[in-house]
Amino acid sequence: MFGAKKFVENSMKDIRKIVGDRRVISACSGGVDSTVTTVLVHKAVGDKLVAVFIDDGLRREGEPQFVVKTLKSLGIKTKFIDAKAEFFAALKGKADAEEKRKAFRDKFYKTLGKAAREEQIEFIAQGTIKADVIETVGGIKSQHNVLEQIGINPEVYGYKILEPLKELFKPDVRKVARELGLPKEISERMPFPGPALSLRVLGEVTPEKIAVVRKATEIVEEETKKLGTFQNFAVLHNDKATGIKKGKRVYGNIVTVRIVDSQDAVTAKARQVPYEVLMRISERITGEIPSVVRCLYDITDKPPSTIEFE
Ligand code: XMP
Protein backbone atom coordinates (compact mmCIF):
# COMPACT_ATOMS: atom_id res chain seq x y z
CA MET A 1 0.00 0.00 0.00
CA PHE A 2 1.34 3.40 -0.99
CA GLY A 3 1.71 5.80 1.95
CA ALA A 4 1.46 9.44 0.87
CA LYS A 5 2.64 10.80 4.22
CA LYS A 6 5.79 8.67 4.20
CA PHE A 7 6.38 9.55 0.53
CA VAL A 8 6.25 13.28 1.32
CA GLU A 9 8.65 12.85 4.27
CA ASN A 10 11.15 10.84 2.23
CA SER A 11 10.90 13.20 -0.75
CA MET A 12 11.67 16.19 1.49
CA LYS A 13 14.85 14.51 2.70
CA ASP A 14 15.91 13.40 -0.78
CA ILE A 15 15.25 16.77 -2.41
CA ARG A 16 17.15 18.66 0.32
CA LYS A 17 20.09 16.27 0.02
CA ILE A 18 20.28 16.56 -3.78
CA VAL A 19 19.74 20.32 -3.99
CA GLY A 20 21.90 21.49 -1.07
CA ASP A 21 22.40 25.26 -1.26
CA ARG A 22 21.61 25.45 -4.93
CA ARG A 23 18.46 26.85 -6.54
CA VAL A 24 15.67 25.09 -8.44
CA ILE A 25 13.28 26.13 -11.17
CA SER A 26 10.02 24.27 -11.70
CA ALA A 27 7.87 24.53 -14.80
CA CYS A 28 4.30 24.32 -13.60
CA SER A 29 1.47 23.83 -16.10
CA GLY A 30 -1.19 23.63 -13.37
CA GLY A 31 -1.72 19.90 -13.84
CA VAL A 32 -1.62 17.63 -10.82
CA ASP A 33 1.86 16.21 -11.62
CA SER A 34 3.70 19.48 -12.10
CA THR A 35 1.86 21.24 -9.27
CA VAL A 36 2.58 18.45 -6.78
CA THR A 37 6.23 18.53 -7.87
CA THR A 38 6.39 22.30 -7.45
CA VAL A 39 4.76 22.20 -4.01
CA LEU A 40 6.95 19.29 -2.83
CA VAL A 41 10.11 21.10 -3.87
CA HIS A 42 8.88 24.34 -2.34
CA LYS A 43 8.17 22.53 0.93
CA ALA A 44 11.69 21.10 0.85
CA VAL A 45 13.75 24.11 -0.20
CA GLY A 46 11.44 27.15 0.28
CA ASP A 47 12.52 30.28 -1.56
CA LYS A 48 15.35 28.48 -3.32
CA LEU A 49 12.58 27.47 -5.73
CA VAL A 50 11.22 29.66 -8.54
CA ALA A 51 8.11 28.33 -10.28
CA VAL A 52 7.68 29.21 -13.93
CA PHE A 53 4.55 29.22 -16.01
CA ILE A 54 5.32 29.19 -19.73
CA ASP A 55 2.45 30.55 -21.79
CA ASP A 56 2.96 28.61 -25.02
CA GLY A 57 -0.36 29.77 -26.50
CA LEU A 58 -1.63 26.19 -26.35
CA ARG A 59 -3.39 26.23 -22.98
CA ARG A 60 -7.11 25.96 -22.29
CA GLU A 61 -9.36 28.96 -21.74
CA GLY A 62 -8.38 30.86 -18.57
CA GLU A 63 -5.62 28.39 -17.67
CA PRO A 64 -2.63 30.78 -17.56
CA GLN A 65 -4.43 33.07 -15.10
CA PHE A 66 -5.64 30.13 -12.99
CA VAL A 67 -2.16 28.60 -12.65
CA VAL A 68 -0.38 31.83 -11.74
CA LYS A 69 -3.09 32.69 -9.20
CA THR A 70 -2.91 29.21 -7.63
CA LEU A 71 0.89 29.26 -7.30
CA LYS A 72 0.89 32.73 -5.79
CA SER A 73 -1.83 31.73 -3.32
CA LEU A 74 0.46 28.89 -2.18
CA GLY A 75 3.18 31.44 -1.41
CA ILE A 76 5.45 30.24 -4.23
CA LYS A 77 7.68 32.72 -6.09
CA THR A 78 6.32 32.61 -9.66
CA LYS A 79 7.57 33.85 -13.01
CA PHE A 80 5.29 34.16 -16.06
CA ILE A 81 6.90 33.74 -19.48
CA ASP A 82 4.97 34.76 -22.59
CA ALA A 83 6.39 32.49 -25.30
CA LYS A 84 3.30 32.19 -27.51
CA ALA A 85 4.88 33.53 -30.68
CA GLU A 86 7.97 31.34 -30.28
CA PHE A 87 5.97 28.14 -29.83
CA PHE A 88 3.77 28.85 -32.85
CA ALA A 89 6.90 29.55 -34.90
CA ALA A 90 8.45 26.25 -33.76
CA LEU A 91 5.31 24.30 -34.70
CA LYS A 92 4.80 26.02 -38.05
CA GLY A 93 4.79 23.65 -41.02
CA LYS A 94 4.92 20.51 -38.84
CA ALA A 95 2.06 18.08 -39.45
CA ASP A 96 3.44 14.79 -38.12
CA ALA A 97 2.48 13.96 -34.50
CA GLU A 98 5.95 12.94 -33.36
CA GLU A 99 7.59 15.85 -35.16
CA LYS A 100 5.19 18.21 -33.35
CA ARG A 101 5.96 16.65 -29.96
CA LYS A 102 9.70 16.94 -30.58
CA ALA A 103 9.39 20.57 -31.71
CA PHE A 104 7.33 21.30 -28.58
CA ARG A 105 9.82 19.52 -26.35
CA ASP A 106 12.77 21.35 -27.83
CA LYS A 107 11.13 24.77 -27.51
CA PHE A 108 9.94 23.94 -24.00
CA TYR A 109 13.42 23.03 -22.73
CA LYS A 110 15.10 25.92 -24.50
CA THR A 111 12.62 28.36 -22.93
CA LEU A 112 13.05 26.80 -19.52
CA GLY A 113 16.82 26.58 -19.89
CA LYS A 114 16.97 30.29 -20.76
CA ALA A 115 14.89 31.16 -17.68
CA ALA A 116 17.13 28.96 -15.52
CA ARG A 117 20.25 30.68 -16.82
CA GLU A 118 18.76 34.14 -16.27
CA GLU A 119 17.95 33.20 -12.69
CA GLN A 120 21.30 31.38 -12.30
CA ILE A 121 19.58 28.15 -11.41
CA GLU A 122 21.08 24.69 -11.77
CA PHE A 123 18.15 22.36 -11.22
CA ILE A 124 14.92 21.91 -13.08
CA ALA A 125 12.17 20.10 -11.21
CA GLN A 126 9.55 18.39 -13.33
CA GLY A 127 6.50 16.23 -12.82
CA THR A 128 7.44 13.16 -14.84
CA ILE A 129 5.46 10.14 -13.63
CA LYS A 130 5.93 6.42 -14.23
CA ALA A 131 3.45 6.20 -17.14
CA ASP A 132 5.36 8.95 -19.04
CA VAL A 133 8.57 6.97 -18.73
CA ILE A 134 6.97 3.65 -19.72
CA GLU A 135 5.28 5.06 -22.84
CA THR A 136 8.31 6.98 -24.03
CA VAL A 137 10.84 4.24 -23.40
CA GLY A 138 8.41 1.73 -24.94
CA GLY A 139 8.33 3.86 -28.08
CA ILE A 140 4.56 4.50 -27.87
CA LYS A 141 4.99 8.26 -27.88
CA SER A 142 7.64 10.75 -26.86
CA GLN A 143 6.28 12.38 -23.72
CA HIS A 144 7.72 15.86 -23.79
CA ASN A 145 9.26 15.63 -20.34
CA VAL A 146 11.18 12.39 -20.64
CA LEU A 147 14.82 12.98 -21.44
CA GLU A 148 17.38 10.99 -19.48
CA GLN A 149 15.49 7.72 -19.77
CA ILE A 150 15.81 7.84 -23.56
CA GLY A 151 19.42 8.90 -23.56
CA ILE A 152 19.07 12.69 -23.97
CA ASN A 153 21.43 14.38 -21.55
CA PRO A 154 19.48 17.28 -19.98
CA GLU A 155 22.74 19.13 -19.53
CA VAL A 156 22.60 19.95 -23.27
CA TYR A 157 19.84 22.36 -22.23
CA GLY A 158 22.08 23.62 -19.41
CA TYR A 159 20.83 22.03 -16.20
CA LYS A 160 20.23 19.01 -14.00
CA ILE A 161 16.82 17.39 -13.54
CA LEU A 162 14.88 16.64 -10.37
CA GLU A 163 11.92 14.25 -10.79
CA PRO A 164 10.42 13.37 -7.41
CA LEU A 165 7.34 11.59 -8.88
CA LYS A 166 8.97 9.42 -11.47
CA GLU A 167 8.15 6.16 -9.63
CA LEU A 168 4.47 7.02 -9.09
CA PHE A 169 1.31 6.42 -11.11
CA LYS A 170 -1.44 9.05 -11.29
CA PRO A 171 -3.69 7.73 -8.44
CA ASP A 172 -0.74 7.95 -6.02
CA VAL A 173 0.15 11.45 -7.26
CA ARG A 174 -3.43 12.48 -6.36
CA LYS A 175 -2.95 10.96 -2.87
CA VAL A 176 0.20 13.07 -2.46
CA ALA A 177 -1.72 16.16 -3.62
CA ARG A 178 -4.39 15.53 -0.97
CA GLU A 179 -1.71 14.89 1.66
CA LEU A 180 -0.13 18.24 0.76
CA GLY A 181 -3.54 19.91 1.26
CA LEU A 182 -3.83 21.16 -2.33
CA PRO A 183 -7.25 22.42 -3.43
CA LYS A 184 -9.56 19.89 -5.12
CA GLU A 185 -9.27 21.81 -8.39
CA ILE A 186 -5.66 20.59 -8.45
CA SER A 187 -5.74 17.19 -6.68
CA GLU A 188 -8.68 15.97 -8.77
CA ARG A 189 -7.73 17.83 -11.94
CA MET A 190 -8.32 16.08 -15.23
CA PRO A 191 -5.08 14.96 -16.90
CA PHE A 192 -3.98 17.29 -19.67
CA PRO A 193 -0.95 16.61 -21.87
CA GLY A 194 2.20 18.72 -21.63
CA PRO A 195 2.08 19.74 -25.32
CA ALA A 196 -1.49 20.81 -24.55
CA LEU A 197 -3.87 21.71 -27.37
CA SER A 198 -1.13 21.17 -29.99
CA LEU A 199 -1.96 17.43 -29.78
CA ARG A 200 -5.64 18.16 -30.29
CA VAL A 201 -5.23 20.00 -33.57
CA LEU A 202 -4.51 17.22 -36.04
CA GLY A 203 -1.89 18.26 -38.57
CA GLU A 204 -0.27 21.68 -38.58
CA VAL A 205 -0.90 23.91 -35.57
CA THR A 206 -1.90 27.55 -36.10
CA PRO A 207 -3.27 30.15 -33.65
CA GLU A 208 -6.61 30.07 -35.53
CA LYS A 209 -6.98 26.28 -35.20
CA ILE A 210 -5.98 26.44 -31.53
CA ALA A 211 -8.73 29.03 -30.96
CA VAL A 212 -11.29 26.59 -32.45
CA VAL A 213 -10.21 23.62 -30.35
CA ARG A 214 -9.92 25.81 -27.23
CA LYS A 215 -13.56 26.87 -27.55
CA ALA A 216 -14.70 23.29 -28.30
CA THR A 217 -12.75 22.04 -25.27
CA GLU A 218 -14.41 24.62 -23.05
CA ILE A 219 -17.84 23.46 -24.24
CA VAL A 220 -17.04 19.76 -23.70
CA GLU A 221 -15.66 20.43 -20.21
CA GLU A 222 -18.70 22.51 -19.23
CA GLU A 223 -21.17 19.91 -20.46
CA THR A 224 -19.42 16.89 -18.90
CA LYS A 225 -18.51 18.24 -15.44
CA LYS A 226 -20.93 15.90 -13.68
CA LEU A 227 -19.84 12.70 -15.44
CA GLY A 228 -16.79 12.08 -13.26
CA THR A 229 -14.85 10.67 -16.19
CA PHE A 230 -11.06 10.45 -16.42
CA GLN A 231 -10.65 12.71 -19.47
CA ASN A 232 -13.09 14.70 -21.62
CA PHE A 233 -11.99 16.77 -24.58
CA ALA A 234 -12.37 17.86 -28.20
CA VAL A 235 -10.10 17.29 -31.18
CA LEU A 236 -10.01 19.38 -34.37
CA HIS A 237 -9.52 17.37 -37.55
CA ASN A 238 -7.16 18.27 -40.34
CA ASP A 239 -9.66 17.46 -43.07
CA LYS A 240 -12.97 19.18 -43.79
CA ALA A 241 -16.58 18.20 -44.44
CA THR A 242 -19.64 19.67 -46.11
CA GLY A 243 -22.27 21.34 -43.98
CA ILE A 244 -24.88 24.09 -44.04
CA LYS A 245 -24.59 27.36 -42.15
CA LYS A 246 -27.14 30.18 -42.47
CA GLY A 247 -28.74 28.38 -45.41
CA LYS A 248 -25.49 28.14 -47.40
CA ARG A 249 -23.19 25.24 -48.19
CA VAL A 250 -19.96 25.44 -46.18
CA TYR A 251 -16.90 23.27 -46.40
CA GLY A 252 -16.07 23.42 -42.69
CA ASN A 253 -14.27 21.92 -39.73
CA ILE A 254 -14.87 18.57 -38.04
CA VAL A 255 -14.54 18.16 -34.28
CA THR A 256 -14.43 14.84 -32.45
CA VAL A 257 -15.41 14.58 -28.80
CA ARG A 258 -13.64 12.02 -26.61
CA ILE A 259 -14.85 11.05 -23.12
CA VAL A 260 -13.04 8.17 -21.42
CA ASP A 261 -12.86 6.28 -18.14
CA SER A 262 -9.46 5.11 -16.95
CA GLN A 263 -7.46 4.46 -13.79
CA ASP A 264 -3.94 5.23 -14.88
CA ALA A 265 -4.18 6.15 -18.60
CA VAL A 266 -2.49 2.88 -19.56
CA THR A 267 -5.85 1.50 -20.71
CA ALA A 268 -9.14 3.40 -21.17
CA LYS A 269 -12.80 2.83 -22.05
CA ALA A 270 -14.96 5.21 -24.05
CA ARG A 271 -17.87 6.25 -21.79
CA GLN A 272 -21.47 5.48 -22.88
CA VAL A 273 -22.52 9.08 -22.38
CA PRO A 274 -26.28 9.82 -22.30
CA TYR A 275 -27.40 10.80 -25.79
CA GLU A 276 -28.84 14.14 -24.60
CA VAL A 277 -25.40 15.15 -23.34
CA LEU A 278 -23.82 14.35 -26.71
CA MET A 279 -26.59 16.21 -28.58
CA ARG A 280 -26.14 19.28 -26.38
CA ILE A 281 -22.37 19.23 -26.97
CA SER A 282 -22.86 18.86 -30.72
CA GLU A 283 -25.43 21.67 -30.88
CA ARG A 284 -23.21 23.99 -28.88
CA ILE A 285 -20.00 23.21 -30.78
CA THR A 286 -21.59 23.64 -34.22
CA GLY A 287 -23.71 26.59 -33.02
CA GLU A 288 -21.05 28.55 -31.14
CA ILE A 289 -18.05 27.95 -33.40
CA PRO A 290 -18.75 29.35 -36.87
CA SER A 291 -16.26 27.17 -38.77
CA VAL A 292 -17.43 23.81 -37.36
CA VAL A 293 -20.06 21.92 -39.38
CA ARG A 294 -19.74 18.42 -37.93
CA CYS A 295 -19.31 16.93 -34.48
CA LEU A 296 -18.41 13.24 -33.95
CA TYR A 297 -18.15 11.02 -30.85
CA ASP A 298 -15.24 8.59 -30.51
CA ILE A 299 -16.35 5.15 -29.21
CA THR A 300 -12.92 3.47 -29.33
CA ASP A 301 -11.21 2.03 -26.25
CA LYS A 302 -7.47 2.13 -25.50
CA PRO A 303 -6.14 -0.19 -26.84
CA PRO A 304 -6.47 -0.30 -29.83
CA SER A 305 -6.51 3.52 -29.91
CA THR A 306 -4.73 5.84 -27.47
CA ILE A 307 -6.52 8.45 -25.37
CA GLU A 308 -5.18 11.38 -27.39
CA PHE A 309 -5.36 11.35 -31.20
CA GLU A 310 -1.67 12.11 -31.61
P1 XMP B 1 -2.34 8.37 -24.64
O1 XMP B 1 -2.78 9.27 -25.73
O2 XMP B 1 -0.95 7.84 -24.82
O3 XMP B 1 -2.28 9.24 -23.34
O4 XMP B 1 -3.30 7.25 -24.37
C1 XMP B 1 -2.08 8.73 -22.03
C2 XMP B 1 -2.18 9.90 -21.06
O5 XMP B 1 -1.05 10.75 -21.23
C3 XMP B 1 -1.45 12.04 -21.65
N1 XMP B 1 -0.46 12.43 -22.68
C4 XMP B 1 0.59 13.22 -22.45
N2 XMP B 1 1.00 13.86 -21.34
N3 XMP B 1 2.85 14.74 -22.53
C5 XMP B 1 2.12 14.64 -21.39
O6 XMP B 1 2.49 15.26 -20.40
C6 XMP B 1 2.50 14.13 -23.68
O7 XMP B 1 3.18 14.24 -24.69
C7 XMP B 1 1.32 13.32 -23.63
N4 XMP B 1 0.68 12.56 -24.54
C8 XMP B 1 -0.40 12.02 -23.94
C9 XMP B 1 -2.86 11.87 -22.19
O8 XMP B 1 -3.60 13.07 -22.11
C10 XMP B 1 -3.39 10.78 -21.31
O9 XMP B 1 -3.82 11.26 -20.05
Side-chain angles (χ1 to χ4, degrees):
M1 234 324 244
F2 174 76
K5 194 160 189 264
K6 194 91 209 130
F7 176 84
V8 171
E9 283 167 18
N10 290 341
S11 297
M12 302 286 94
K13 284 188 216 136
D14 292 346
I15 295 168
R16 285 190 191 121
K17 201 157 111 198
I18 297 170
V19 172
D21 295 333
R22 291 170 288 187
R23 297 175 68 221
V24 188
I25 202 166
S26 175
C28 187
S29 66
V32 61
D33 306 341
S34 65
T35 309
V36 167
T37 301
T38 305
V39 173
L40 262 183
V41 176
H42 182 248
K43 221 172 142 65
V45 305
D47 272 354
K48 279 183 279 188
L49 170 82
V50 180
V52 171
F53 177 81
I54 299 174
D55 188 359
D56 47 25
L58 307 167
R59 302 288 125 188
R60 286 170 293 182
E61 189 61 40
E63 212 161 21
Q65 298 78 351
F66 167 77
V67 179
V68 172
K69 196 175 100 208
T70 305
L71 290 171
K72 289 196 172 156
S73 74
L74 293 167
I76 299 173
K77 225 192 303 173
T78 304
K79 191 176 158 118
F80 178 90
I81 300 177
D82 180 352
K84 293 196 275 287
E86 290 168 44
F87 275 81
F88 282 119
L91 291 165
K92 196 172 161 61
K94 300 199 169 59
D96 174 79
E98 281 294 286
E99 233 191 294
K100 284 162 65 178
R101 276 165 195 280
K102 285 176 185 152
F104 178 90
R105 178 171 70 195
D106 196 52
K107 184 48 72 187
F108 177 81
Y109 283 104
K110 281 187 175 143
T111 310
L112 201 51
K114 187 163 162 256
R117 279 192 299 281
E118 280 167 11
E119 299 272 339
Q120 296 179 324
I121 288 175
E122 266 180 69
F123 279 98
I124 298 236
Q126 58 178 19
T128 315
I129 65 170
K130 189 101 176 174
D132 301 342
V133 178
I134 292 173
E135 298 224 323
T136 305
V137 176
I140 294 172
K141 58 181 63 167
S142 330
Q143 300 276 348
H144 77 286
N145 53 0
V146 176
L147 295 174
E148 281 172 298
Q149 295 86 343
I150 52 168
I152 299 179
N153 178 359
E155 302 206 8
V156 299
Y157 293 104
Y159 46 77
K160 300 182 180 73
I161 300 262
L162 202 60
E163 291 174 320
L165 310 181
K166 75 175 172 207
E167 297 300 329
L168 306 191
F169 282 104
K170 195 72 101 189
D172 291 338
V173 179
R174 294 199 195 280
K175 286 184 196 151
V176 176
R178 291 177 209 126
E179 172 66 30
L180 290 168
L182 293 181
K184 266 201 160 139
E185 266 169 307
I186 299 286
S187 67
E188 312 313 313
R189 200 163 178 81
M190 192 175 22
F192 186 62
L197 298 174
S198 72
L199 302 181
R200 295 179 181 173
V201 164
L202 307 187
E204 188 186 4
V205 174
T206 62
E208 296 73 26
K209 290 184 187 171
I210 289 289
V212 171
V213 85
R214 178 179 288 129
K215 181 67 197 167
T217 302
E218 192 184 8
I219 294 170
V220 173
E221 289 190 4
E222 278 172 13
E223 298 299 331
T224 55
K225 258 191 210 126
K226 294 198 189 114
L227 297 179
T229 27
F230 183 79
Q231 252 176 309
N232 318 328
F233 57 89
V235 175
L236 175 65
H237 288 240
N238 197 17
D239 47 0
K240 299 218 163 168
T242 301
I244 308 162
K245 287 262 167 128
K246 295 187 182 154
K248 285 213 174 81
R249 177 189 182 276
V250 191
Y251 200 45
N253 282 319
I254 309 168
V255 165
T256 285
V257 175
R258 184 132 173 86
I259 302 174
V260 297
D261 287 306
S262 175
Q263 285 299 320
D264 51 15
V266 177
T267 60
K269 273 203 135 353
R271 171 69 74 92
Q272 290 195 28
V273 177
Y275 200 69
E276 314 82 77
V277 176
L278 294 177
M279 281 307 293
R280 168 118 188 107
I281 292 173
S282 168
E283 280 162 15
R284 284 195 60 194
I285 287 179
T286 53
E288 295 175 30
I289 312 175
S291 68
V292 181
V293 293
R294 204 166 288 250
C295 183
L296 315 177
Y297 185 58
D298 183 354
I299 57 169
T300 334
D301 295 339
K302 171 181 180 175
S305 63
T306 54
I307 295 178
E308 304 289 342
F309 273 46
E310 295 209 319

